[in-house]
Amino acid sequence: QFERVQVMARYGTTYRLVFTLSSSEGWAVPPVASHPITAMPCGSTEFYVPGATNCSACVPGAVCNGTAHMVTAHNHWRLDTHTQVFVRCGRAEACLANRTVGSCKATHQGLLCHGCIAGHSDTDCSPCGTAGSVWARLCLFFGFYIILFVATTVEALLRDTASKRNILTSTFKRLVGYLQTLGL
């Protein structure tokens, strides 16, 4: 007869108790195994480390379900499944939730989803314009800048009589000033 048999189960390990009797003359009893014995389940907001004897509270940035598996919370990143460190993503809404390791939205990439895939830019990794539209915008900008330069130069020449005598020098000075404004 047995009284108070206790097993201190470690999480992630299954145990069975095997009962045997020594055989006697002329008769034998086959061994009997118990039902599987496992550690008590953790709560829905806890997790366990395999081999541990107790549950731990879920770490910030993680979603726990009472098992050893933690997943990322909304807008959080995890480097690998061996770490218990979850980091908030640098770019809003870039990291996907419910992943065992950090995963990014389709247009983001890299550590903490901080980079954009090719053909995308800005903080939300929106698509870049086509090469033609970029050149069109650049030409429009420089065209506007040239018109502004010509208009202000003509206005200065009409207003200042000294500028009329040295048109080339005055125009060159204004051109240098405008180029400095552009940073060229």
Side-chain angles (χ1 to χ4, degrees), residues 15-92:
Y15 301 91
R16 288 184 182 270
L17 297 178
V18 179
F19 299 95
T20 59
L21 291 174
S22 7
S23 49
S24 194
E25 292 180 27
W27 65 277
V29 177
V32 176
S34 69
H35 292 288
I37 300 170
T38 58
M40 295 292 291
C42 294
S44 62
T45 59
E46 297 177 316
F47 74 100
Y48 66 83
V49 176
T53 57
N54 58 353
C55 298
S56 301
C58 199
V59 296
V63 177
C64 299
N65 62 2
T67 68
H69 303 288
M70 295 183 284
V71 295
T72 57
H74 175 74
N75 206 35
H76 280 78
W77 173 271
R78 181 184 191 191
L79 183 61
D80 59 42
T81 58
H82 302 294
T83 183
Q84 294 178 13
V85 177
F86 290 77
V87 182
R88 178 172 285 286
C89 282
R91 291 187 174 190

Side-chain angles (χ1 to χ4, degrees), residues 124-162:
D124 62 348
C125 290
S126 55
C128 298
T130 63
S133 68
V134 171
W135 279 110
R137 289 180 191 164
L138 193 59
C139 289
L140 186 64
F141 172 76
F142 277 113
F144 174 75
Y145 210 71
I146 289 170
I147 290 171
L148 181 66
F149 170 73
V150 169
T152 57
T153 301
V154 167
E155 189 270 331
L157 290 175
L158 293 175
R159 194 168 20 103
D160 187 14
T161 56

